[in-house]
Amino acid sequence: MQLATAAMLLVATTVAACGDGKDDGAKASAPKAPATIPELTTAPQTLSFIWFDWPPAQALEAFANTEYKKERPNATIKVNTVPNANWHDAMFTQFAARKTDFDIAILDSQHIGEAVTNGNILDLTDFVKENIDVNAYNPYLLAAYGQFPQAETGKRDENASLYGLPLLGDTWTMIYRKDLIGDKPPQTWDQMIAAAEKCQADNPGVSGLAFHQANGSDAAAVTYNTVNGVYGGNLWDSKSRKIDGVLNDAAGQEAMDVLVNKMKPLTAKGSGNWFIDEVNAAVAQGKACIAFNWIAASGGLLDPKQSTLGTTRKQILDKLGFATLPSQKTNLVPLGGMGMHVSAYSSKEKQAEALNFMKWFERADVQKKWAAAGGVPSRTDALESPEFLNAGPFNQVYTDSVPRMRDMWNVPEYARLVDIENTNVNAALNGAKKPKDALDDIAKEQQSVLDSSSRKGGGGL
Amino acid sequence: MASAPPPARGRSRRLSDRGLAVAFISPAMLLLLAMSVFPLLWALYLSFTDYSATRGGPANFIGFGNYTAILTSAQVHTRALTTLIYVVGAVGLQTVLGFGIAYLISRRTHGRGVLTTLFLVPMMLSPVVVGLFWRFMLDAQFGVINSMLGSVGLGQVEWLTRQRTALLSLVVVDTWQWTPFIMLIALAGLTAVPKYLYEAASIDRASEWFRFRTITLPLVWPLLLIAVMFRAIEAFRLFDLVYILTNGGPGVSTETLSFHIYKVAFLGFNTGTASAYGILMVLVVIVLTQLYLRYLNKLKEG
């Protein structure tokens, strides 16, 4: 690994070298998937996914191999996983090589733009028209996980192209200690901070808050975006592609001030690099009064083997409560989750199998089974079904949060934009930068990325 | 007078020594050309273009645009300073400690082999394993280091999430892993010093310090400098420990040049810029190494 960087550079250049050098990137859109599913093979075959390593990945593989095999006994589902921090790179370096060892990429909503403009995934518009009942979904979810270009509001555009279908919905849940702050969750952000402050003061050794602060993946960025949304801020003006002056306006600055000066002092010392696992560990070990985490990653909190809060699920649930995020000036919550997208470089046989899988997966009965198996569905009927609502104490939180969701910018430059935001918010949270400077730097640097993306020439530093 | 032996019957031209040499060497040479030389030349070509590996499209020639952008970038200057502090800190500490340990071990007659082997263990581990291991050790809440500090009445230190301590942590972890390398080289030098020089010094009743200053150090110094050069080159390319331990944070406080190249190459897929960045780093290493080797040669001649 000492040569890791050199090796990666080597891979990138070799990949470039292997390209034919022709203008294949100039194609503005992805190749089209057929409207009807081509004839499927009867020979044994493995349909490969790529995702990051977390419980839903294992749940998907187990679920698909149990249920999909009933319809397609010759098909085996393999969900390849990589660490969360490598997820984007693992997919896009293969896309760059124009050859993938996966057939279905599970892309974050913000990755779609990059994949579509590079022609890496299939355009599913015709396929969806023929095979999927789009009215069965909350339009915002369908747009977030499949549509490109996507408006900031996330509203589905009937005329826009679809490149993916929902796999797993997600948002943040507030996890609170019922035994320490009471049964009733705080309703506003200010109340939440006050409750955390009091709880921390009353319970030495327990921190008031636990949330994502790390500078990897989108950890610190989502945290800031959440507070920004709650305090009425905007991430950008999508029409004019303006970030500088929008993100760092008065509302944005107030959000940064709340995050760094009011929330951060209530967190555990050294928690500046915490992400999903660390927040869960703090809750499970009884070290946090109130925490925020992705719902899809919260299942382990109810496992007595991983918790010091009780020896049974019931004992844990007597202490832990799950609620939708408090509101303040607005009631926005972050959109998480991912969609399924077919690799343009997969073989025709595998693409056909992938389309068949997606059609099967989006069926109403399968979505309910997926919900019962621990998945978070996107079809409205499944979201409101008893199978989903009774499957976990946080599932009602998700259903209630769907109308409140807001996504980040869904543009091809996403990877660089989120890195800029992550590093600067992380710097502010850890005292390496003043909050106002961090916010202004984010706005300035992100604006520069957006502006330079349409220009020819070097750059990208 | 014996006549020259006749050529072996049936020996074809293909089986001549030269032919055999070419046959054996060419696979390795071809592999080397394909895996090292060609990508390097290709990277050099791309460094003058705006090519992106994911976006594809033509590689437009932009002259020295990428090089100018890198050399004038404030971000690159910051990362270069971080890398310099790290290299000087880590390699300096490793040299002092490595030589010190080697000197102490060389004076022992019993258990030298066992001690040397034990000291070498960290060097045998994968940097990723070392990174993960130290990440747990240095965790502010649950780490062993803070637990030990707490037991002697000292407060918690945020090793990986504060600007100064994060870089210091990287230096300490790298030192833990690579001090044995310096120690090993120094030990080889120390054991090679001729015994008669010390015996002569003893007859002259030279002090311990005098012997160290005038015999040990001058003879081991050139070898030690070579070890320092290898370590400095490795440290200059530091990536894995940063990736695992701090991910460049807090903010970009521990983001080294190599880590920054990774971001340029794979987050934005600005392949042309990343190639230029890589070429510049190689050039810096070559130039500094040449200067260093000249100094070493002068030292030898002296």
Side-chain angles (χ1 to χ4, degrees), chain B residues 11-91:
Chain B
R11 188 172 176 181
S12 70
R13 281 178 66 197
R14 252 188 279 168
L15 289 176
S16 69
D17 287 350
R18 190 179 173 80
L20 272 173
V22 170
F24 282 124
I25 291 170
S26 48
M29 287 302 291
L30 285 173
L31 202 66
L32 193 70
L33 281 171
M35 302 296 290
S36 298
V37 179
F38 173 67
L40 186 69
L41 293 176
W42 194 258
L44 186 65
Y45 159 68
L46 289 179
S47 71
F48 295 105
T49 71
D50 64 354
Y51 188 75
S52 166
T54 50
R55 285 192 294 273
N60 299 305
F61 185 75
I62 56 165
F64 285 93
N66 287 325
Y67 290 93
T68 313
I70 292 162
L71 292 171
T72 56
S73 162
Q75 293 195 38
V76 176
H77 298 161
T78 311
R79 271 70 171 182
L81 185 64
T82 304
T83 309
L84 184 71
I85 294 171
Y86 166 78
V87 171
V88 171
V91 179

Side-chain angles (χ1 to χ4, degrees), chain A residues 251-426:
Chain A
Q253 285 180 24
E254 185 184 6
M256 188 59 96
D257 178 61
V258 168
L259 177 63
V260 178
N261 296 323
K262 293 183 179 169
M263 293 172 64
K264 174 67 183 174
L266 298 173
T267 60
K269 213 171 179 183
S271 60
N273 57 0
W274 283 13
F275 196 21
I276 295 171
D277 292 343
E278 290 83 357
V279 168
N280 275 346
V283 174
Q285 295 186 17
K287 298 279 188 187
C289 298
I290 297 174
F292 297 101
N293 217 338
W294 294 110
I295 285 176
S298 299
L301 291 174
L302 307 177
D303 180 2
K305 286 181 195 157
Q306 298 177 38
S307 181
T308 58
L309 297 176
T311 53
T312 64
R313 185 180 158 103
K314 188 184 172 306
Q315 279 180 2
I316 296 170
L317 281 171
D318 284 342
K319 288 185 179 171
L320 287 186
F322 296 89
T324 51
L325 299 197
S327 55
Q328 188 70 27
K329 291 179 181 170
T330 75
N331 68 351
L332 294 172
V333 299
L335 176 129
M338 302 92 196
M340 293 177 283
H341 310 265
V342 184
S343 167
Y345 314 109
S346 185
S347 69
K348 293 291 172 203
E349 275 186 349
K350 294 283 186 75
Q351 285 181 352
E353 192 70 53
L355 294 173
N356 191 60
F357 179 88
M358 287 163 84
K359 183 182 176 182
W360 168 82
F361 189 82
E362 302 296 338
R363 266 173 23 196
D365 60 323
V366 177
Q367 284 282 291
K368 284 180 186 170
K369 282 182 187 170
W370 171 230
V376 184
S378 292
R379 279 183 69 114
T380 309
D381 48 6
L383 277 175
E384 291 168 355
S385 69
E387 286 92 335
F388 176 64
L389 295 175
N390 297 331
F394 24 68
N395 287 357
Q396 185 69 54
V397 174
Y398 180 74
T399 303
D400 293 343
S401 297
V402 169
R404 298 170 52 181
M405 286 178 171
R406 181 178 78 164
D407 201 2
M408 296 159 83
W409 2 254
N410 183 344
V411 290
E413 299 84 7
Y414 166 76
R416 290 187 61 206
L417 296 181
V418 81
D419 178 57
I420 289 167
E421 188 166 354
N422 250 336
T423 50
N424 280 289
V425 174
N426 176 265

Side-chain angles (χ1 to χ4, degrees), chain B residues 115-126:
Chain B
L115 272 175
T116 309
T117 310
L118 283 176
F119 274 116
L120 288 181
V121 170
M123 203 175 82
M124 313 277 186
L125 300 172
S126 149

Side-chain angles (χ1 to χ4, degrees), chain B residues 30-247:
Chain B
L30 285 173
L31 202 66
L32 193 70
L33 281 171
M35 302 296 290
S36 298
V37 179
F38 173 67
L40 186 69
L41 293 176
W42 194 258
L44 186 65
Y45 159 68
L46 289 179
S47 71
F48 295 105
T49 71
D50 64 354
Y51 188 75
S52 166
T54 50
R55 285 192 294 273
N60 299 305
F61 185 75
I62 56 165
F64 285 93
N66 287 325
Y67 290 93
T68 313
I70 292 162
L71 292 171
T72 56
S73 162
Q75 293 195 38
V76 176
H77 298 161
T78 311
R79 271 70 171 182
L81 185 64
T82 304
T83 309
L84 184 71
I85 294 171
Y86 166 78
V87 171
V88 171
V91 179
L93 201 57
Q94 285 160 30
T95 307
V96 172
L97 283 175
F99 183 75
I101 294 168
Y103 187 68
L104 292 176
I105 289 180
S106 70
R107 292 163 65 91
R108 288 182 64 95
T109 46
H110 295 297
R112 189 194 289 185
V114 176
L115 272 175
T116 309
T117 310
L118 283 176
F119 274 116
L120 288 181
V121 170
M123 203 175 82
M124 313 277 186
L125 300 172
S126 149
V128 174
V129 173
V130 171
L132 287 170
F133 164 68
W134 276 95
R135 195 183 157 126
F136 289 123
M137 297 265 286
L138 294 169
D139 188 279
Q141 287 291 314
F142 316 108
V144 174
I145 305 290
N146 270 0
S147 173
M148 283 162 61
L149 289 177
S151 65
V152 293
L154 296 171
Q156 285 177 315
V157 179
E158 296 182 46
W159 294 106
L160 302 174
T161 53
R162 288 285 150 193
Q163 214 165 355
R164 284 182 187 168
T165 50
L167 194 57
L168 178 70
S169 301
L170 281 176
V171 169
V172 168
V173 175
D174 194 71
T175 301
W176 179 83
Q177 185 171 26
W178 291 108
T179 294
F181 176 77
I182 304 275
M183 182 204 80
L184 200 64
I185 306 272
L187 198 58
L190 286 166
T191 48
V193 177
K195 289 265 188 305
Y196 67 83
L197 292 176
Y198 292 118
E199 286 162 7
S202 306
I203 291 165
D204 290 342
R205 296 194 171 193
S207 68
E208 187 80 13
W209 170 243
F210 184 84
R211 277 191 264 178
F212 175 78
R213 196 165 49 85
T214 56
I215 301 172
T216 311
L217 204 54
L219 287 174
V220 178
W221 190 239
L223 205 59
L224 205 59
L225 286 181
I226 290 173
V228 167
M229 183 181 76
F230 284 135
R231 277 305 305 136
I233 291 171
E234 282 288 299
F236 185 69
R237 296 182 305 169
L238 176 77
F239 174 82
D240 29 39
L241 276 185
V242 176
Y243 190 67
I244 303 286
L245 272 179
T246 63
N247 208 15

